Amino acid sequence: MVKLIGKDKLKTAIFISGRGSNLKSLYKFSKKKISPININLVISDNKNAKGLLFAKKKRIKTSA
């Protein structure tokens, strides 16, 4: 992995299929100062996935 220099974070897409428990963990981690990621997109194969609601509440773009 490339070491980041400065304040730039890597744009990241997360794939989910249901509740989004991993999404929530990654989101929490992404908000830490040491995190190299910024979640910009959440994609799901299930348009009724509860994780999509979480993403929308956090103002993250979604696609189902």
Side-chain angles (χ1 to χ4, degrees), residues 22-62:
N22 289 328
L23 166 63
K24 291 175 186 176
S25 295
L26 287 168
Y27 178 80
K28 190 175 180 180
F29 174 70
S30 74
K31 292 304 173 187
K32 293 184 179 183
K33 188 174 183 179
I34 62 167
S35 172
I37 65 170
N38 184 28
I39 301 172
N40 296 84
L41 177 64
V42 175
I43 301 170
S44 178
D45 62 346
N46 177 1
K47 67 179 181 179
N48 297 319
K50 292 184 180 181
L52 291 173
L53 294 175
F54 174 81
K56 288 177 184 178
K57 286 180 185 177
K58 299 299 181 183
R59 296 183 178 165
I60 301 170
K61 292 181 185 178
T62 60

Side-chain angles (χ1 to χ4, degrees), residues 5-6 8 10-13 15-16 32 37 41 44 47 51-52:
I5 300 172
D8 293 336
L10 298 173
K11 291 182 179 180
T12 307
F15 294 87
I16 64 169
K32 293 184 179 183
I37 65 170
L41 177 64
S44 178
K47 67 179 181 179
L52 291 173

